[in-house]
Structure formats: C-alpha cells, structure tokens
Amino acid sequence: MHRKVAVLLKGYPRLSETFIAQELLGLERAGLDLVLVSMRRPTDKKRHPIHDEIRAPVVYLPEYLHEEPLRVARAALTGLFRPGFWRAFARFLPDLSRDFSRNRFRRFGQALVLAAEWPKGAGWLHAHFIHTPASVASYASRITGIDWTCSAHAKDIWTSAGWDLADKLKHARWAVTCTQSGFEHLRGLATAPEQVHLSYHGLDLDRFAPFHGTRSDADGSDPQQPVLIASVGRAVEKKGFETLLEALALLPAGLAWRLEQVGGGDRLPQLKALAERLGIADRIAWKGALAQEEVLALYRRADLFALACRIAGDGDRDGLPNVLVEASSQRLPCVSTTVSGIPELITDGEDGLLVPPEDPQALAAALARAIGDPALRKKLGEAAEHRVRRHFDHHSSIGQLVGLFEQEWRKA
C-alpha cells in the first residue's frame, strides 16, 4: 500500500494548534508522505515557524457549500455513480434524523468534494478531532472505500453526543486521544475498546531547548520588581480567565505582580472590562496572538505561569493544554486546576500547584504562595522541567502513531 496519508483538519494553519503542526512535522520526518485537507481557510494573521517547515501540500474544501456551488454540484454528480455514495448516504440519513442541521448537510457535502477530488496516491485518511472532521472522514471513507482513523482531543470528545462518538469509533480502524479521562470515556463507548489508544502529544524538546538563564528572586514585596505572571490561551470559556482575574483581584493590595496574557478570542473585550471593574487593569498587558518564538521568550522572562481551566457550560474542556507542557519545559512553575488531563502533568506541591476549578479564593491562595516564595518557584520549576523532559518528549507519541499506521499497512 502507498504510504501517503490524507490528513483532514478543521482549519490549517492555526496558531492555537501547535500540537497538531508538531505532529505533522514529526510524521513527515518519520517518513510518512502527507497531504493536508482543511475544512476551513486560515484566519490567523500570523503563523508559527513550524508551519513553514511542513512540506505537505494543503487542499481546502469549501467551508460553506453555497460559496462554491459548482464545485459541490460536480462532486455530487460524480458521487452518484459510485457504489460507495449509497453506503455513505445510508449513514448520513440516520445522522441527519438525530442532528437535523445545516452543519450536518455541510459535512456530507464536504465529504462528497473530498471523495471526488481525492488526493492522488493517498491510501489512508486520518482526521484530527472526532467531531466535525471525523464526520467528513466517515462519509468520505464510505464513498471511496479508503480506511480512516482519528485523533480525538478535548472539545470534540466532550461536546459530542454519545451515539455519534460510538458510531465513529465503530467504523474507524482506530482512534488515539491525549488524556486518560478522554481515553476512558471513548473506550467506554467503543465496540472494540482495544482500538482506542492513549497517546500524549508531548513536546518537541529541540524546539523548546532547556532555559539556562536565571529567574528573578522577586517576592512581591517591591513595587519596582513585581512578579511577572504569564498566561497563554484563547479567550474562551473553558480557559477560565474570569476566574484568574477574580483571583488576582483577591491578592493582598500590597503584593507586587503583573500579568501578561497571550491569545486572541471573542471574549477579550469582556475580560478587559472585567479587569477594569476589578481595579487591576493597570497591572495587565493583553498581548493578543503571538508566534511561538514570542511565546517562548515570555516563558523565559516570566516568574510564574497561571491557567485557570474549567468545564464550560456546554461540556467543553481542555485535555492537557500544551502551554502547560511548554511552560514547564522552561522551568517555569505552573499554577492551574484539576480539570481533565492536567493532573497527569502536574502533581500538586511537587512540580506545580493545582486548585479546584472555578474557585477564585483557592487560586488566589496558590498564586500568593508562589508569588511570595521564589525558592518554592525554583523547586517547582526544576521538578516540572524534569518531568516534561522525561515523560513528554513528542518522539514517543510520533513513534506510537507511526507504529499504528505500520500495523495497518502490514495487514494490507
């Protein structure tokens, strides 16, 4: 079998999905021939250097079917004369009865286009995210007869209906996911639990080389030397920035600190307004979206990293935020919450500090403890780096993925 893999992505490139870019580059370096198929065009104004290192060509499906009606119509006419069309349609109808939405029609239309314009030489389809990309992959697989697999992450697991996940797991050759909680949830829905695999993303430790500089011994007592807190993440509900701002406002008035927040997102205006109401706006710098090298520079300037992850109202949550792994790799101690896979990286009091989600008082206490104790920060940061470099090297996850693909190709 030709070892060319079509990788289906929701959007590419994306600043917030460096873990996917890192995996794509790792797979290329391991010898896989990739072609990237994106359901959306990029919206970020910047891109990470890693995106320029990935050689795979990128194909864009119509994001909205009405924007490219002739392309969609040609694909539909082509599909009608393929036996697999009716297999896909037979799956689409019950899906539509449970989820009657424009989104469901869009995914079937995108699958028709993907099948009609199938990348030359590709003998496998792998979808990143088990929600909408996996829907397109499932339909396209039925039309083309080409097997598919899936990487599941966080939001896609926890905001998808159980019936939808169960059907995809039943028909995918295998699926991987990146946290123990997600792994257990998917295995509980799978007809063949052994086909669900746990694979931590890990980090490209060459790109995040050890930081040999010194950090400040600021303890919050000198207004001229405030403790610098870094936080990186999109301004969305599950990141818990409201909780972080409320916790910062609870810190003693005389404690010297400042926050640099990196990331875009629709909730930024509300967060800035909240900071004003809480009286802490003058201590916060909102940096917006930054490229990876700029984020790395912040990790090395900062004294402390904070991320107040929580479960959103619709069930969305982080898996294991890559930014926590990145910060830890730079000896930057992290204060976060016990949500999802975070305790799989951080053990409270050993290599970071963890508090319950949506608890500003507990978060404020942990922040105050770390701000006021530079020796503790040093101890936690060193332990965090040791853990990441020992257990979260991305070569392990790349090797596992390559091994799964190799097993399938040996069967063919």
Side-chain angles (χ1 to χ4, degrees):
M1 180 184 290
H2 196 306
R3 299 187 179 192
K4 185 172 185 177
V5 180
V7 182
L8 184 61
L9 306 159
K10 191 168 185 181
Y12 182 86
R14 283 182 163 179
L15 286 175
S16 62
E17 294 177 359
T18 52
F19 63 96
I20 291 179
Q22 176 182 283
E23 180 178 295
L24 296 174
L25 183 60
L27 291 174
E28 282 193 336
R29 288 176 172 173
L32 271 67
D33 186 8
L34 306 180
V35 57
L36 310 183
V37 182
S38 177
M39 295 160 55
R40 291 181 179 175
R41 292 188 175 272
T43 56
D44 297 319
K45 293 182 173 64
K46 297 184 179 183
R47 47 192 285 140
H48 293 308
I50 192 172
H51 291 128
D52 297 321
E53 298 175 41
I54 296 169
R55 301 186 308 273
V58 186
V59 177
Y60 290 96
L61 298 176
E63 183 170 345
Y64 296 99
L65 304 184
H66 68 269
E67 293 178 344
E68 299 185 68
L70 292 179
R71 188 181 178 194
V72 175
R74 283 195 301 269
L77 286 172
T78 301
L80 281 170
F81 294 97
R82 302 177 70 168
F85 172 87
W86 299 106
R87 289 194 297 269
F89 194 69
R91 178 65 261 165
F92 169 68
L93 285 179
D95 289 349
L96 184 64
S97 69
R98 288 171 152 174
D99 173 31
F100 192 82
S101 65
R102 292 179 63 188
N103 180 63
R104 184 62 64 175
F105 281 104
R106 187 186 314 159
R107 302 315 164 206
F108 190 71
Q110 288 177 317
L112 287 171
V113 173
L114 174 56
E117 302 175 8
W118 186 255
K120 185 177 180 180
W124 200 270
L125 178 59
H126 185 75
H128 261 287
F129 296 107
I130 200 169
H131 53 354
T132 51
S135 294
V136 175
S138 177
Y139 300 142
S141 173
R142 285 175 166 89
I143 296 169
T144 62
I146 292 172
D147 286 325
W148 72 286
T149 48
C150 181
S151 290
H153 301 290
K155 177 180 181 178
D156 52 324
I157 297 174
W158 302 108
T159 62
S160 295
W163 63 264
D164 197 22
L165 294 174
D167 180 72
K168 288 167 180 172
L169 292 169
K170 181 178 179 180
H171 291 97
R173 294 290 300 174
W174 45 259
V176 297
T177 190
C178 54
T179 65
Q180 185 70 33
S181 55
F183 172 67
E184 291 173 358
H185 182 65
L186 293 180
R187 279 178 64 92
L189 293 169
T191 304
E194 68 278 4
Q195 290 181 295
V196 180
H197 304 271
L198 175 62
S199 178
Y200 292 112
H201 294 307
L203 195 65
D204 182 348
L205 297 175
D206 295 327
R207 201 174 298 274
F208 286 83
F211 172 53
H212 297 298
T214 57
R215 299 195 185 277
S216 79
D217 59 357
D219 62 3
S221 62
D222 183 357
Q224 302 304 312
Q225 193 183 10
V227 170
L228 174 57
I229 305 168
S231 192
V232 180
R234 290 174 298 122
V236 294
E237 185 181 358
K238 67 180 177 181
K239 299 296 182 181
F241 284 114
E242 292 88 350
T243 304
L244 176 58
L245 295 179
E246 291 166 6
L248 291 170
L250 291 172
L251 293 174
L255 201 62
W257 59 268
R258 61 190 180 92
L259 172 71
E260 290 192 19
Q261 192 275 338
V262 173
D266 295 339
R267 297 168 78 99
L268 272 179
Q270 297 97 305
L271 293 175
K272 292 177 181 179
L274 176 59
E276 291 282 356
R277 291 197 300 274
L278 293 171
I280 58 174
D282 60 340
R283 297 189 183 200
I284 301 174
W286 305 91
K287 296 295 187 178
L290 296 179
Q292 192 175 63
E293 66 269 24
E294 297 172 290
V295 178
L296 177 58
L298 174 59
Y299 293 147
R300 292 177 171 181
R301 286 190 291 110
D303 301 301
L304 187 61
F305 187 89
L307 194 66
C309 298
R310 64 184 176 184
I311 299 174
D314 63 356
D316 187 13
R317 69 200 73 177
D318 275 304
L320 175 51
N322 219 46
V323 292
L324 290 172
V325 186
E326 293 174 356
S328 296
S329 78
Q330 301 304 298
R331 283 193 289 112
L332 185 61
C334 296
V335 178
S336 192
T337 65
T338 54
V339 165
S340 199
I342 296 174
E344 296 169 49
L345 170 70
I346 298 172
T347 300
D348 182 44
E350 292 185 14
D351 41 30
L353 299 177
L354 294 183
V355 300
E358 300 192 76
D359 190 337
Q361 290 80 12
L363 183 58
L367 289 169
R369 180 184 173 195
I371 289 170
D373 192 342
L376 174 65
R377 296 199 303 268
K378 183 174 184 294
K379 172 195 159 193
L380 295 176
E382 289 175 349
E385 182 188 24
H386 177 75
R387 179 166 176 74
V388 164
R389 297 195 180 277
R390 186 172 182 182
H391 298 291
F392 288 86
D393 187 330
H394 85 298
H395 289 102
S396 297
S397 60
I398 295 299
Q400 185 177 5
L401 280 174
V402 170
L404 289 169
F405 284 122
E406 291 282 356
Q407 284 180 14
E408 297 294 344
W409 289 324
R410 283 196 295 270
K411 293 176 187 175

